[in-house]
Amino acid sequence: AMPQKFTVLLDWFVNPDHGPLFAAKYIGAYARAGLDVALIAPTDPDLPPRLLAAGKADVALSYQTQLYLLVDQGLPVRRIGTLIDKPLNTLTALGGRGITTLHDLKGKKIGYSIAGVEEVLIGTMLKSVGLALSDVTLVNVNFNLVSALQSHAVDAVIGTYRTYEDIQLAQAGLNPVIFLPEDYGVPPSDELIMLANLKALDNPALPKFIAAVKEGADYLALHGDAVLAQFLKDNPSLNDRLDIASWHALPGAFAADPAKLDAARYTRYRDFMFAAGLIKKSLPLDTYAVEIKA
Amino acid sequence: MRGARPATTFLVFLALWWLAARYSSVPPFMLPPPGDVAVALWTQRGLLLANTLVTLAEILLGLLCGTLLGGIAALGIVFSPVLQRWLMPVLVVSQAIPVFALAPLMVLWFGFGMVAKIIMAMLVIFFPVTANFADGLRRTPPGWLDLARTMNASPYAMLRHIRLPAALPAFASGLRVATAIAPIGAIIGEWAGASSGLGYIMLNANARIQTALMFAALFILAALTVALYVLVDRLLRRLLYWAPDTTGG
Amino acid sequence: MRGARPATTFLVFLALWWLAARYSSVPPFMLPPPGDVAVALWTQRGLLLANTLVTLAEILLGLLCGTLLGGIAALGIVFSPVLQRWLMPVLVVSQAIPVFALAPLMVLWFGFGMVAKIIMAMLVIFFPVTANFADGLRRTPPGWLDLARTMNASPYAMLRHIRLPAALPAFASGLRVATAIAPIGAIIGEWAGASSGLGYIMLNANARIQTALMFAALFILAALTVALYVLVDRLLRRLLYWAPDTTGG
Amino acid sequence: METPPGILVRDLSLHFGGVTVFEGLSFEIAAQKFTALLGPSGVGKTTLLRIIAGLEAPATGGVAATDRAPLAGRIAYMAQQDFLLPWASALRNVMLGATLRGARPEPERALHLLERVGLGAQAHALPQTLSGGMRQRVALARTLYEDRPIVLMDEPFSALDSITRLKIQNLAAELLAGRTVLLITHDPLEACRLGHALFVLSGAPARLSEPLHVPGPPPRAADDIALLQTQGALMRTLTEAAAP
Amino acid sequence: METPPGILVRDLSLHFGGVTVFEGLSFEIAAQKFTALLGPSGVGKTTLLRIIAGLEAPATGGVAATDRAPLAGRIAYMAQQDFLLPWASALRNVMLGATLRGARPEPERALHLLERVGLGAQAHALPQTLSGGMRQRVALARTLYEDRPIVLMDEPFSALDSITRLKIQNLAAELLAGRTVLLITHDPLEACRLGHALFVLSGAPARLSEPLHVPGPPPRAADDIALLQTQGALMRTLTEAAAP
Ligand SMILES: Nc1ncnc2c1ncn2[C@@H]1O[C@H](COP(=O)(O)OP(=O)(O)OP(=O)(O)O)[C@@H](O)[C@H]1O
Ligand SMILES: Nc1ncnc2c1ncn2[C@@H]1O[C@H](COP(=O)(O)OP(=O)(O)OP(=O)(O)O)[C@@H](O)[C@H]1O
Ligand SMILES: [Mg+2]
Ligand SMILES: [Mg+2]
C-alpha cells in the first residue's frame, strides 16, 4: 500500500531536541508503520499549534506550559505524546557578577523571551526565597536572551535551556549560574510534547507514529553517535561544537515511552497555571492530554 | 456632512471583517470576530491606552528623527559626490539588515529603553525619505538654479529658497511612505526587546493566544496609522498648494 | 580603471569592520571579525549558495509582483476617486501589520512554500511603488494633457504616452526604495514560515548562536542588495536620459 | 479633407475667482479663413482659444461649428508654450498626435514638415538641446502635422526672428489655406499679412472690436498698400483698446 | 551705483556635440549703452548671453569687464523663459534676488515696479494664474529690481502686445539708462528704438556683423527718421545674414 502522508510541525528550527524524530526516520520506523512523515520546521514556535488546530498538520510539537493556554483559549488540540519529559528551562545569571543565590536578584533586571508564562515562573521562584516580582525589573528581550546577558543589559534571563544556552555560556567561559525552576516551587513539566487535533484523535496513524517515535528514541539511546552522524550530514549547519554538545546532553531528557501520560504531573501543572491566573478554567485532565492506545 | 464618508468606510470594513470571521474557514483563534475584539478593546482599555501612548511616542519621535536624518542624508548625497559614493551603499545595506541581526548590537549600545526603539523606527523610515528627497533635489529645474546663480545666491540660500521648495513634491512622496511605515518601525523596535507598547502587547497576547487582545492592539495600531497618514497627507497637500494635481482622467 | 572604486569601497569597509571587531568593546558573538565570517562563508558555501538562490528568487519575484501590483494600485488610485477612497486606507493599514500577526494566516492559506514568502515580500515592496507612482501620475503637467486632449487621445494612449513617461522619475524613486527594501521583504517572508533561504539561515544561526554563519549570510544579503540596487539605479538613470540632473552645488 | 466649418461663439461668460473675464460674449469665426485675434496682454485671448478648443469650460454659453457637427476632434491647437515632450525627439514630438490616436505615424511627412520649418537637421535632437525659436517651430510642425480643418494658434511665431518669421508665416499661409484658422498674435504686421479678418479683444469683461477685413489672399507682401492701410487702422483700434 | 563697465569678449569658442557654435569670436559691448543683438533662430544668441552671464563655460576664450573687476555679481539676467517660482506670488518672485542674497526685501520698490509694468493688481497672484505676457512682465520687474550695472535680457518683450510693448520699452529705457545693457530681440523696430549699437549674429560658427549705430537717446519715437533709416539698414543686414 502507498504510505500515508503524515505532517509533523516541529516546534522550531531543526535542533538536537528533535533527535528521536530523526532517529525514527533514519531507521525506517515511519516507513515500516506505513507513514510518509514530513518534518516541517517553522520559524516561530507560536505557529505549529495554530496550524494544527486549523487542520494543516497531523501532529505539532509544543510545550506543556503552552498546552494549558492553548486549551484555555479553545484551540481544539490535545497532548498525545511526550518527546522530552524533563523541564529544560532555567533562570541563568553570569558567574562572577555577585549573583550566587536567587536572593541576590533583588533589585536586578531579568530578561525574558515572551512565551506567556515567564512572569509567573519568575514570580513563583522569587516567592520561594521570600522575594516578590516587584523586587526585580522584568525586560522582554525577545530573541536576545544570550546577548542581553552577555552584554550585561540584564543581570539574569529566564528561558535559557540547560541543554543549549547554558552549555554555550559555559563553553564561552562565562560560568553561568543556573537556577532550575523545579527547585524553586515550580512544578516539573514535560518540555517538548506532541499535540494532535481533537477531531483527529481517532486517526489510526497517531498510535503508529508514536510507536515509531519510541523506536527512534530507543535506537537513539543505544546508537546516539550513529544517528548524530546522519543528523549532521542532513543538517550541515548544525555541525558545530555547541550543537554537538547539546546532542550529548540530551539523551537523559528524552521520554523513554512517548505515549505515556504522567497524569499527576499534568494535573499539578494545571492547578499551578490556574492558581497563577494564567488560565480561566480548571478543566478535567482529558481536556488537555490523552494517552493514545494502539 | 463631514465624517460621513470615513464612517461608511469604517462600517463597510467592519462588515467585511465580520463576514470573513463568520463565514470563511478561518478559525477564530486566527481571525476573531469584531465583537470579541470590541469586548477586548473595552475590558482592556486601560492597558491598551497606556501602551498606545508609548507606541505613539515612539512613532512620532521615530518619524521626526527619521525624517530629519533622511533629509540630512539626502542633502549630503546631492551636494557631495564623495558622500554619495560612500553613504549610499551604507544606506542601502542598512535597509537589508533584519531586526534580529541588529537587535543584539542595539541592546548593547542603547539598552532596552526608548532610544533603541526610536533608532529602529528611524532605520525603517529614513530610507524612503532619503531616496525620494535626494531624487527631488537632483531634479531641480536648471533654469531656476541659473537664475539664482546670477543673483549671487549662496549655496545655502539656493537650497533654502529654490531647491527645497522645488523638491517638496518628491519629499512629500517620501514622507507619505515614511508615515505609512513608521508604525511598523516602532513595532519592530519593540520586537527587538521592550516592556511596553502595542507591539509588546501583541507579542504577549500572541504568545498567550489571546487573539482578541492581539487584534484589539492591531486594530488600534491600524487606526493610528490611518489617522497619522491622513493627517500628514492633508498637511502635505496644503504645503503643495502650487503643484499641479491632475487626478482623474 | 573600471571596478577600482567599488573595490576600494569594499576594502575600506572590510578594514573598518575588522577594526571595529578588533578594538571596540563589541564582543565577537555580536560582531565576529571578518576572518571568522570568511571561514564560515567558505566552509558553508554549499549551504549558503543554495539558500542564496532561494532568497534571490524570492527577491526578484517579490520585486516583480510588488512593482506590478504597486503600479496597478497607483493607476487605480489616480484614475478613480472611488478607488482612492477605498483602496488607500487598506494599503496604508497593510503597511502597519506586523509579520507575527499575519504569519498564521499566510501559512494557513499558502503553506510554508514560496508563495507565502513572495506575498510577504510584495506586501513590503508595493507601498513605496504605489505611493510614489501615484504621486508622479498626479503631477503630470496639465499642458501636456491638454495637448493630448486636443489630439483626441484615448485615456489609455494619454496614460501610455504622456502620463507614464512623465511619472517615470517619481516611479524611479519608488522603485529605488522598493529595490532597497525588497531583500528585507523576502527575509520577512522567510520569517513567516520557511525552510530555506538566507533569512531562514540567519534566524537559524541566530537561534543556534552561530554568529559567524549569521554574519556570512548577512554579508551575502548585503552584497546582493547593493548589487541589485546598483543595477536598478543604472537602468533607471538610462531610462531617464531626458530628466534634469542638477547634482552638486 | 472635409470642408472646414466656421465657429459660432454664443453668450460666453467666464470668471476667475472674482474677476470676470468674459460676460455674454458672442461672435463668429468665418469658415475657411484666417482670423487674427489681437489685444492687450492678460485680456483673455488665450482663455478664449482654450474655450474654443474645449479645454476650459465657460460659466455660460458655448461654442459650436457652423455645420452643427461636434467640434471635438476637428481642431489642432498650438498653445502659447511649446509643451514638447522632453523624452521624445523633435520628430517623435511632431508625430505625437498619430501616436496618441494609435494611428500609423508618417515619419516622411513629419520630416518634410521639419525641413519646411528649417529643422531637418534637428529631427533627432531632444527638445532640451534646441533654442527657443527652434522649439516653437517644432511645435508648429506638430500642429501642421495634425492636418485638421480647424487650427487654433496662440502666438505661434513669437520666438522667431523677423526673417524666419516671414518664411514661416508664408509656410503657414500655404499649408493652412482653405482651413478655418484662428491666430492670436501681438504683431500687427503679422495679423495683416495673414488675416482675412482681424479682431481686437479688449476691456474687462473683454469685448471684441468690429472686425477689420484685409483684401487679397495671404500671405501678403509686407509693403502691400492695402496691408499698410489696414495696419494703420489696426494700430488705431489697438491704441483705442489700450486707452481705458 | 558704481559706474557700469563695458564687456570684453575674447576669442570665444564653443561646441555642442559635433556642432561648432562659436569659433574665435571677439567683440566689445560699450559701457553704459544699450546694445541690441539680433540674428536668426538657433544661431547662438542665448548661448552667448549665458556665457557672458557666467552660466555656460566656453571651450576657449573668456569674458571680462572693461574695468578689470570681476563680472560676477554685477549682472542681472533675464532668460528667454520667465522661470517664475510657482510657489511664490508675483511680488515675492520680483524680490527673489533680495531673498536669495539674504538682503532685506523692499516690498514697496517691488510693488512699484509691478505697478510700472501694469501688474499692481496682480502682486499677490501666483504665476500659474497669470497670462503669458503678464508672466514675462513679472520676470522683467524681477530683473529691474536687481538694480545691477550690467543687464542682460533675452527677448524680454516677446510675449507682449504692440501697445504694451511700447510702454514697457519706454520703461526699460528709462530705468536702465546709463547701464550697460545687452538685449536680444527679434523685433528690428525694438532694436532701433532702444539700441545705441545693433549687432547681428549669423552663420555657423556664428560671427558678429559690424555694429549699426543709432543716433539719439532711447527710447526713440517709432517714426523718427534716423530710426527708420537704421531699421532699413538693419533689415538689409538681417536679410544678408539669412542668405547663406
Ligand atoms: N488659472 C487661472 N486662474 C486665475 N486666473 C487666470 C487663470 N488663467 C488665466 N487667468 C486670468 O485670466 C486673464 C486672461 O488670461 P489669458 O491667458 O487668457 O490672457 P491673454 O490675453 O492670453 O494674455 P497674453 O497676451 O499675455 O498671453 C488674466 O487676467 C489671467 O490672470
Ligand atoms: N544643451 C544643448 N545641447 C546641445 N545643443 C544645444 C544646447 N543648447 C543649445 N544648443 C544648440 O546651440 C545652438 C544655439 O542655441 P541658442 O539657444 O543659443 O540659439 P538662439 O540664437 O538663442 O535661438 P533663438 O532665437 O531660437 O532663441 C542651437 O543650434 C541649439 O540647438
Ligand atoms: Mg495668452
Ligand atoms: Mg534664444
Side-chain angles (χ1 to χ4, degrees):
Chain A
M2 281 283 286
Q4 184 186 345
K5 284 243 179 276
F6 195 89
T7 306
V8 179
L9 291 177
L10 304 178
D11 61 318
W12 206 23
F13 304 110
V14 171
N15 64 63
D17 292 357
H18 306 132
L21 297 179
F22 282 89
K25 182 172 145 192
Y26 299 150
I27 61 175
Y30 299 137
R32 280 193 297 281
L35 299 177
D36 173 15
V37 172
L39 301 172
I40 295 173
T43 43
D44 178 351
D46 293 322
L47 271 177
R50 291 170 215 225
L51 290 173
L52 177 78
K56 292 278 159 180
D58 297 295
V59 161
L61 297 195
S62 189
Y63 316 98
Q64 190 190 338
T65 48
Q66 201 62 10
L67 171 66
Y68 301 93
L69 296 172
L70 294 168
V71 172
D72 199 52
Q73 293 294 329
L75 266 71
V77 296
R78 294 288 181 275
R79 172 270 177 210
I80 56 154
T82 299
L83 202 60
I84 293 179
D85 63 0
K86 309 267 181 312
L88 296 181
N89 195 4
T90 64
L91 177 67
T92 304
L94 292 190
R97 297 185 60 84
I99 297 170
T100 49
T101 69
L102 258 193
H103 208 271
D104 299 330
L105 284 175
K106 189 172 162 65
K108 302 285 190 190
K109 277 195 200 144
I110 304 181
Y112 66 99
S113 177
I114 291 176
V117 295
E118 296 73 15
E119 289 183 28
V120 170
L121 294 189
I122 297 170
T124 308
M125 291 175 75
L126 291 175
K127 200 164 145 222
S128 74
V129 296
L131 291 178
L133 257 186
S134 53
D135 290 321
V136 298
T137 310
L138 292 185
V139 185
N140 165 38
V141 300
N142 213 9
F143 26 63
N144 290 322
L145 278 180
V146 175
S147 45
L149 193 61
Q150 279 179 297
S151 58
H152 309 307
V154 294
D155 304 287
V157 293
I158 191 161
T160 41
Y161 271 23
R162 51 199 84 167
T163 52
Y164 208 76
E165 287 86 352
D166 291 341
I167 296 179
Q168 196 237 349
L169 290 170
Q171 283 181 346
L174 293 164
N175 307 317
V177 183
I178 295 163
F179 306 99
L180 306 180
E182 61 269 28
D183 295 346
Y184 296 93
V186 178
S189 58
D190 292 354
E191 189 60 51
L192 204 52
I193 60 176
M194 297 179 250
L195 304 180
N197 193 309
L198 176 61
K199 287 195 230 72
L201 284 183
D202 53 0
N203 179 357
L206 289 181
K208 290 189 216 160
F209 173 71
I210 292 179
V213 173
K214 179 172 169 24
E215 270 188 64
D218 292 345
Y219 185 81
L220 184 66
L222 297 174
H223 310 285
D225 288 335
V227 180
L228 177 62
Q230 180 69 29
F231 183 70
L232 292 181
K233 196 160 151 263
D234 281 8
N235 302 284
S237 70
L238 298 186
N239 193 354
D240 66 1
R241 196 157 71 112
L242 175 55
D243 282 283
I244 292 168
S246 175
W247 183 274
H248 291 303
L250 271 163
F254 290 125
D257 182 2
K260 185 169 157 280
L261 173 65
D262 183 342
R265 166 180 278 204
Y266 275 74
T267 312
R268 208 178 327 129
Y269 210 87
R270 176 201 67 193
D271 296 341
F272 170 73
M273 295 284 283
F274 184 69
L278 281 170
I279 54 177
K280 299 185 292 285
K281 303 170 288 262
S282 177
L283 299 174
L285 178 63
D286 65 0
T287 13
Y288 301 102
V290 297
E291 199 161 300
I292 293 283
K293 304 262 172 9
Chain B
M1 209 178 81
R2 259 183 81 83
R5 194 187 285 161
T8 328
T9 315
F10 180 67
L11 286 179
V12 169
F13 159 74
L14 275 190
L16 285 178
W17 176 5
W18 184 80
L19 284 173
R22 180 83 183 71
Y23 292 103
S24 81
S25 62
V26 183
F29 53 86
M30 286 190 183
L31 182 66
D36 293 12
V37 175
V39 169
L41 269 174
W42 179 247
T43 54
Q44 307 272 16
R45 60 189 179 281
L47 177 80
L48 286 170
L49 180 66
N51 286 287
T52 301
L53 292 180
V54 171
T55 301
L56 185 60
E58 290 164 10
I59 292 175
L60 294 180
L61 280 171
L63 201 52
L64 191 75
C65 301
T67 307
L68 278 178
L69 201 78
I72 294 170
L75 291 176
I77 284 172
V78 171
F79 287 103
S80 153
V82 177
L83 256 186
Q84 145 120 25
R85 192 145 60 249
W86 291 95
L87 199 56
M88 208 57 199
V90 176
L91 298 189
V92 171
V93 164
S94 78
Q95 293 308 293
I97 299 179
V99 220
F100 55 83
L102 208 57
L105 287 175
M106 283 286 146
V107 170
L108 179 67
W109 289 328
F110 306 106
F112 288 102
M114 197 82 157
V115 180
K117 278 168 267 174
I118 290 170
I119 288 182
M120 292 299 252
M122 267 171 54
L123 217 60
V124 169
I125 289 162
F126 87 108
F127 191 74
V129 176
T130 308
N132 276 284
F133 196 28
D135 281 356
L137 288 172
R138 245 200 293 272
R139 271 187 241 117
T140 320
W144 291 342
L145 296 178
D146 285 348
L147 178 67
R149 252 172 236 131
T150 64
M151 288 173 162
N152 301 357
S154 66
Y156 168 74
M158 203 126 103
L159 177 68
R160 162 117 170 57
H161 297 288
I162 311 268
R163 276 191 192 266
L164 280 187
L168 207 57
F171 178 69
S173 297
L175 193 57
R176 276 200 193 93
V177 173
T179 308
I181 62 178
I184 194 75
I187 297 296
I188 288 179
E190 292 174 5
W191 203 341
S195 317
S196 57
L198 286 176
Y200 172 79
I201 295 280
M202 276 192 259
L203 271 178
N204 225 324
N206 190 47
R208 294 203 180 155
I209 325 163
Q210 298 169 334
T211 325
L213 179 60
M214 189 182 93
F215 272 79
L218 194 56
F219 177 85
I220 295 178
L221 186 71
L224 216 62
T225 310
V226 171
L228 196 67
Y229 186 86
V230 169
L231 203 81
V232 169
D233 188 55
R234 292 244 169 109
L235 200 84
L236 289 174
R237 276 175 203 264
R238 191 160 302 175
L239 269 177
L240 287 170
Y241 60 92
W242 52 270
D245 185 343
T246 50
T247 317
Chain C
M1 209 179 83
R2 259 182 82 83
R5 196 188 285 162
T8 328
T9 314
F10 181 69
L11 287 179
V12 169
F13 159 75
L14 275 190
L16 285 178
W17 176 5
W18 184 81
L19 284 174
R22 181 83 182 70
Y23 292 105
S24 80
S25 61
V26 183
F29 60 87
M30 289 191 183
L31 183 66
D36 292 13
V37 174
V39 169
L41 269 174
W42 179 248
T43 54
Q44 306 275 14
R45 61 188 178 282
L47 178 80
L48 286 171
L49 180 65
N51 286 286
T52 301
L53 292 179
V54 171
T55 301
L56 186 60
E58 289 162 12
I59 292 175
L60 294 180
L61 279 172
L63 203 52
L64 192 75
C65 302
T67 308
L68 276 179
L69 202 79
I72 293 171
L75 291 176
I77 284 172
V78 171
F79 287 103
S80 153
V82 178
L83 257 185
Q84 147 121 20
R85 193 143 63 244
W86 291 96
L87 199 56
M88 208 56 200
V90 176
L91 299 190
V92 170
V93 164
S94 78
Q95 294 307 294
I97 300 179
V99 218
F100 57 83
L102 210 57
L105 286 175
M106 281 290 144
V107 176
L108 179 68
W109 287 328
F110 306 106
F112 283 102
M114 198 81 156
V115 180
K117 285 179 273 177
I118 289 168
I119 289 182
M120 292 301 266
M122 267 171 56
L123 218 59
V124 169
I125 288 162
F126 87 110
F127 191 74
V129 175
T130 307
N132 277 284
F133 197 27
D135 281 357
L137 288 172
R138 246 200 294 270
R139 270 187 242 117
T140 320
W144 290 341
L145 296 178
D146 285 347
L147 179 67
R149 252 172 235 132
T150 65
M151 288 173 163
N152 302 357
S154 65
Y156 168 75
M158 204 126 103
L159 177 69
R160 161 114 171 57
H161 297 288
I162 311 267
R163 276 191 192 266
L164 280 187
L168 208 57
F171 178 70
S173 296
L175 194 58
R176 275 198 195 94
V177 173
T179 307
I181 63 179
I184 194 75
I187 297 298
I188 288 179
E190 289 172 5
W191 207 336
S195 38
S196 58
L198 286 177
Y200 175 80
I201 296 280
M202 275 191 261
L203 270 176
N204 206 332
N206 189 51
R208 313 239 69 81
I209 325 176
Q210 298 169 335
T211 326
L213 180 59
M214 188 181 92
F215 271 81
L218 192 56
F219 177 86
I220 295 179
L221 186 71
L224 216 62
T225 309
V226 170
L228 195 67
Y229 187 86
V230 169
L231 202 80
V232 169
D233 189 55
R234 291 243 169 110
L235 200 82
L236 288 174
R237 276 174 203 264
R238 191 160 304 176
L239 269 177
L240 287 170
Y241 59 92
W242 51 271
D245 185 344
T246 49
T247 317
Chain D
M1 197 183 61
E2 55 164 320
T3 314
I7 300 171
L8 290 168
V9 175
R10 284 286 159 263
D11 191 30
L12 224 54
S13 303
L14 185 98
H15 320 272
F16 279 128
V19 182
T20 302
V21 181
F22 304 121
E23 185 74 65
L25 182 70
S26 301
F27 63 98
E28 182 174 342
I29 295 165
Q32 297 156 52
K33 303 280 182 201
F34 269 73
T35 305
L37 183 65
L38 298 93
S41 171
V43 76
K45 303 180 295 297
T46 297
T47 309
L48 188 57
L49 215 66
R50 284 175 55 81
I51 292 175
I52 297 174
L55 297 173
E56 198 97 51
T60 70
V63 178
T66 48
D67 62 5
R68 281 143 192 258
L71 272 171
R74 298 197 284 173
I75 292 181
Y77 172 65
M78 179 173 170
Q80 201 166 353
Q81 283 168 274
D82 55 61
F83 291 123
L84 299 181
L85 301 177
W87 54 83
S89 66
L91 189 69
R92 282 182 51 211
N93 264 295
V94 171
M95 300 186 299
L96 178 65
T99 313
L100 283 176
R101 283 184 296 274
R104 178 195 298 278
E106 300 163 65
E108 299 79 25
R109 193 158 70 83
L111 194 60
H112 179 71
L113 281 169
L114 277 175
E115 274 160 9
R116 292 294 303 264
V117 299
L119 294 174
Q122 277 82 13
H124 298 290
L126 287 182
Q128 51 266 49
T129 66
L130 299 178
S131 78
M134 289 165 143
R135 293 175 62 107
Q136 199 172 42
R137 283 179 279 160
V138 176
L140 178 69
R142 183 181 63 195
T143 313
L144 295 174
Y145 181 89
E146 289 295 281
D147 197 21
R148 297 284 177 97
I150 303 173
V151 179
L152 310 176
M153 298 194 287
D154 199 346
E155 307 184 25
F157 314 121
S158 62
L160 302 181
D161 64 286
S162 44
I163 308 288
T164 311
R165 184 183 293 215
L166 284 176
K167 283 189 207 152
I168 301 286
Q169 284 168 357
N170 294 349
L171 176 70
E174 175 194 331
L175 294 181
L176 297 178
R179 298 175 204 237
T180 306
V181 178
L182 181 56
L183 170 84
I184 297 179
T185 178
H186 285 318
D187 182 349
L189 176 64
E190 183 169 288
C192 296
R193 283 198 76 216
L194 294 180
H196 293 100
L198 318 181
F199 284 97
V200 174
L201 193 69
S202 65
R207 303 250 132 230
L208 272 192
S209 68
E210 283 301 305
L212 292 171
H213 292 281
V214 198
R220 303 176 190 94
D223 51 4
D224 179 299
I225 295 287
L227 178 145
L228 289 174
Q229 281 172 345
T230 322
Q231 196 179 351
L234 178 61
M235 286 309 290
R236 274 192 301 280
T237 317
L238 286 170
T239 316
E240 280 158 24
Chain E
M1 197 184 62
E2 55 163 318
T3 313
I7 299 169
L8 290 167
V9 175
R10 284 282 160 266
D11 191 30
L12 224 53
S13 303
L14 185 97
H15 320 272
F16 279 126
V19 182
T20 301
V21 182
F22 304 120
E23 185 73 65
L25 182 70
S26 301
F27 63 98
E28 183 174 343
I29 294 165
Q32 298 157 52
K33 302 280 181 201
F34 269 74
T35 303
L37 183 63
L38 299 92
S41 172
V43 77
K45 302 180 296 297
T46 297
T47 308
L48 188 57
L49 216 65
R50 284 175 56 82
I51 293 174
I52 296 173
L55 297 173
E56 198 97 50
T60 69
V63 178
T66 48
D67 62 5
R68 282 146 190 257
L71 271 171
R74 298 198 285 173
I75 292 181
Y77 171 65
M78 180 173 169
Q80 201 166 353
Q81 284 167 274
D82 55 60
F83 291 124
L84 299 181
L85 301 177
W87 53 83
S89 66
L91 189 69
R92 281 183 51 211
N93 264 294
V94 171
M95 300 188 298
L96 179 65
T99 314
L100 283 175
R101 283 183 297 273
R104 178 195 298 280
E106 300 164 64
E108 299 80 25
R109 193 157 69 82
L111 195 59
H112 178 72
L113 281 170
L114 277 176
E115 274 159 8
R116 292 293 306 264
V117 299
L119 294 174
Q122 277 81 15
H124 298 290
L126 288 182
Q128 50 265 50
T129 66
L130 299 179
S131 79
M134 289 165 142
R135 294 175 61 107
Q136 199 172 41
R137 282 179 280 159
V138 175
L140 178 68
R142 182 182 63 197
T143 312
L144 295 175
Y145 181 89
E146 289 296 281
D147 196 21
R148 296 283 178 97
I150 302 173
V151 179
L152 311 175
M153 298 193 287
D154 199 346
E155 306 184 27
F157 315 121
S158 62
L160 301 181
D161 64 285
S162 43
I163 308 288
T164 312
R165 184 182 294 214
L166 285 176
K167 283 191 207 152
I168 301 287
Q169 284 169 359
N170 293 349
L171 177 71
E174 175 194 332
L175 294 182
L176 298 177
R179 298 175 203 238
T180 305
V181 178
L182 181 56
L183 170 83
I184 297 180
T185 178
H186 285 318
D187 181 350
L189 176 64
E190 183 168 288
C192 296
R193 285 198 76 217
L194 294 180
H196 292 100
L198 317 181
F199 284 97
V200 174
L201 192 69
S202 65
R207 303 251 134 230
L208 272 192
S209 68
E210 283 302 307
L212 291 171
H213 292 282
V214 198
R220 301 176 190 95
D223 51 4
D224 181 298
I225 295 286
L227 178 146
L228 290 174
Q229 281 172 345
T230 323
Q231 195 178 350
L234 179 59
M235 286 311 289
R236 274 191 301 281
T237 317
L238 285 170
T239 318
E240 279 159 25

